[in-house]
């Protein structure tokens, strides 16, 4: 009963909170996820530089982290080792994309440095398209987490052998391990690309209200990856506490990674749509204080004014 009362009080407090305050809280959480993604890529476990060799204390620490008995899929950290094309088409563009987000949403930076805002926005668009290309490369190279699990633990798997048409007179071929979970875990790439396309369209039309709405949606369809890593880490800690420091079966590892990804998508996209609703209710862009309601279709509103 005490927990229920506290939750009710928290909900009432959130309802009484100003829209600008809610947007500020969402901005802080978004910035934290971006910093977490940058840390994951460059600091620890540093997926951009990790190798399977134990040449340094840092590499030994990473390998020890990767081999901790838990419910985490094997080679989650080291699977992109020596995959330079993945580094330059997915990992590094993802870091650049995450680095730009906090500056794009910051009201003072956006207002003080409009040229920088436009330039970094273009860089963000190019990075987004590179990330999608990197996902395609990862998919066709078979670098999915499921390929490190025992084949019998992957439900609905379909193994497809494909000969590369570009390479002639060789025995090279591709082996794709397709499964429903792998398709689902890669499906957010489609709305990720669609939302940035819509945002660019509205920016060209100088409809900055809708431009920001679609950028918010774009970020929500991208930051779920950082949220998933946090959820996987939490699940690993809970597993070690309640089950013990033992390796989970491969089917448990696969499902944990998949369900954490699905939950991360639901949370991030849900918060993104909630942010859009706040922008529509407050009639303001992120960081600006206003309580005037507005119509999302600005062009229709301008035409109605002219008719009057």
């Amino acid at each position: 009963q005490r927990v229920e009362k506290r939750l009710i009080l928290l909900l009432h407090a959130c309802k009484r909170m100003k829209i600008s305050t809610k947007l500020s809280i969402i901005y802080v959480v978004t910035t934290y996820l971006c910093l977490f993604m940058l840390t994951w890529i460059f600091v620890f476990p540093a997926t951009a530089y990790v190798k399977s060799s134990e040449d340094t204390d840092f590499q030994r620490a990473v390998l020890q982290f990767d081999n901790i008995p838990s419910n985490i899929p094997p080679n989650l950290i080291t699977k992109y080792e020596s995959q330079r094309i993945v580094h330059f088409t997915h990992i590094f563009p993802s870091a650049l994309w995450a680095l730009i987000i906090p500056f794009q949403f910051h009201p003072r930076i956006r207002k003080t440095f409009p040229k920088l805002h436009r330039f970094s926005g273009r860089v963000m668009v190019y990075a987004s398209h590179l990330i999608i290309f990197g996902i395609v490369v990862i998919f066709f190279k078979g670098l999915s987490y499921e390929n490190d699990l025992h084949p019998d633990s992957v439900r609905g798997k379909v193994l497809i052998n494909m000969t590369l048409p570009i390479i002639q007179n060789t025995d090279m071929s591709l082996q794709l391990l397709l499964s429903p979970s792998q398709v689902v875990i890669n499906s957010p790439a489609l709305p990720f690309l669609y939302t940035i396309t819509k945002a660019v369209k509205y920016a060209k039309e100088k409809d900055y209200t809708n431009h920001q709405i679609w950028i918010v949606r774009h970020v929500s369809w991208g930051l779920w990856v950082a949220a998933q890593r946090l959820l996987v880490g939490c699940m690993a800690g809970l597993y070690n506490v309640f089950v013990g420091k033992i390796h989970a079966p491969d089917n448990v590892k696969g499902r944990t990674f998949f369900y954490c990804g699905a939950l991360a998508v639901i949370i991030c996209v849900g918060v993104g749509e909630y942010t859009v609703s706040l922008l529509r209710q407050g009639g303001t862009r992120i960081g600006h204080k206003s309580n005037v309601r507005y119509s999302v279709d600005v062009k229709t509103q301008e035409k109605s004014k002219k008719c009057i």
Side-chain angles (χ1 to χ4, degrees), residues 67-140:
N67 294 323
I68 291 175
S70 69
N71 60 339
I72 298 177
N75 300 328
L76 175 62
I77 299 171
T78 57
K79 64 181 179 179
Y80 297 141
E81 179 194 359
S82 302
Q83 299 290 339
R84 292 299 180 188
I85 188 172
V86 176
H87 291 165
F88 288 103
T89 61
H90 187 72
I91 296 178
F92 292 138
S94 297
L96 183 61
W97 181 84
L99 178 65
I100 291 174
I101 290 172
F103 297 99
Q104 290 298 94
F105 283 136
H106 196 280
R108 290 185 180 178
I109 295 176
R110 190 172 61 232
K111 184 177 181 181
T112 308
F113 306 101
K115 291 183 179 179
L116 177 63
H117 177 75
R118 289 192 291 270
F119 173 77
S120 57
R122 292 187 180 96
V123 174
M124 185 178 178
V125 172
Y126 295 138
S128 300
H129 285 80
L130 262 179
I131 290 170
I132 295 298
F133 181 76
I135 291 174
V136 175
V137 172
I138 291 170
F139 186 79
F140 278 97

Side-chain angles (χ1 to χ4, degrees), residues 52-63:
S52 60
S53 61
E54 299 184 5
D55 298 333
T56 63
D57 292 336
F58 175 77
Q59 295 296 342
R60 282 192 290 272
V62 171
L63 291 173

Side-chain angles (χ1 to χ4, degrees), residues 75-260:
N75 300 328
L76 175 62
I77 299 171
T78 57
K79 64 181 179 179
Y80 297 141
E81 179 194 359
S82 302
Q83 299 290 339
R84 292 299 180 188
I85 188 172
V86 176
H87 291 165
F88 288 103
T89 61
H90 187 72
I91 296 178
F92 292 138
S94 297
L96 183 61
W97 181 84
L99 178 65
I100 291 174
I101 290 172
F103 297 99
Q104 290 298 94
F105 283 136
H106 196 280
R108 290 185 180 178
I109 295 176
R110 190 172 61 232
K111 184 177 181 181
T112 308
F113 306 101
K115 291 183 179 179
L116 177 63
H117 177 75
R118 289 192 291 270
F119 173 77
S120 57
R122 292 187 180 96
V123 174
M124 185 178 178
V125 172
Y126 295 138
S128 300
H129 285 80
L130 262 179
I131 290 170
I132 295 298
F133 181 76
I135 291 174
V136 175
V137 172
I138 291 170
F139 186 79
F140 278 97
K141 276 182 166 285
L143 297 175
S144 170
Y145 71 97
E146 287 189 337
N147 288 336
D148 291 324
L149 303 176
H150 193 277
D152 293 337
S153 67
V154 181
R155 293 183 175 181
K157 65 180 183 301
V158 179
L159 189 62
I160 302 177
N161 292 318
M162 297 179 61
T163 302
L164 294 174
I166 301 176
I167 303 175
Q168 301 293 335
N169 301 324
T170 63
D171 295 330
M172 293 185 65
S173 63
L174 286 174
Q175 283 191 338
L176 299 181
L177 181 64
L178 296 179
S179 66
S181 59
Q182 186 176 352
V183 173
V184 171
I185 209 72
N186 286 294
S187 59
L190 297 176
F192 180 79
L193 182 62
Y194 175 74
T195 49
I196 193 64
T197 304
K198 292 284 288 185
V200 171
K201 172 181 175 294
Y202 283 117
K204 289 180 178 179
E205 295 175 356
K206 296 185 178 181
D207 186 352
Y208 299 121
T209 300
N210 280 316
H211 168 69
Q212 187 182 43
I213 285 175
W214 283 96
I215 283 292
V216 168
R217 286 173 170 158
H218 172 71
V219 171
S220 69
W221 280 104
L223 275 184
W224 72 270
V225 177
Q228 183 203 30
R229 269 48 176 183
L230 285 173
L231 291 174
V232 167
C234 293
M235 291 299 296
L238 292 173
Y239 182 86
N240 288 333
V241 170
F242 292 103
V243 180
K245 293 185 177 181
I246 58 174
H247 283 288
D250 278 3
N251 61 337
V252 174
K253 293 179 180 180
R255 291 173 191 173
T256 301
F257 194 79
F258 171 75
Y259 287 129
C260 285

Side-chain angles (χ1 to χ4, degrees), residues 14-82:
C14 291
K15 288 182 179 180
R16 291 194 299 267
M17 194 180 296
K18 292 182 179 179
I19 292 177
S20 59
T21 305
K22 293 178 181 179
L23 291 174
S24 298
I25 293 173
I26 294 172
Y27 173 80
V28 170
V29 175
T30 302
T31 302
Y32 170 76
L33 287 176
C34 292
L35 291 175
F36 175 81
M37 182 178 287
L38 290 170
T39 304
W40 181 273
I41 294 173
F42 292 118
V43 183
F44 192 84
T47 54
Y49 306 113
V50 68
K51 297 180 180 179
S52 60
S53 61
E54 299 184 5
D55 298 333
T56 63
D57 292 336
F58 175 77
Q59 295 296 342
R60 282 192 290 272
V62 171
L63 291 173
Q64 185 179 4
F65 177 83
D66 192 35
N67 294 323
I68 291 175
S70 69
N71 60 339
I72 298 177
N75 300 328
L76 175 62
I77 299 171
T78 57
K79 64 181 179 179
Y80 297 141
E81 179 194 359
S82 302

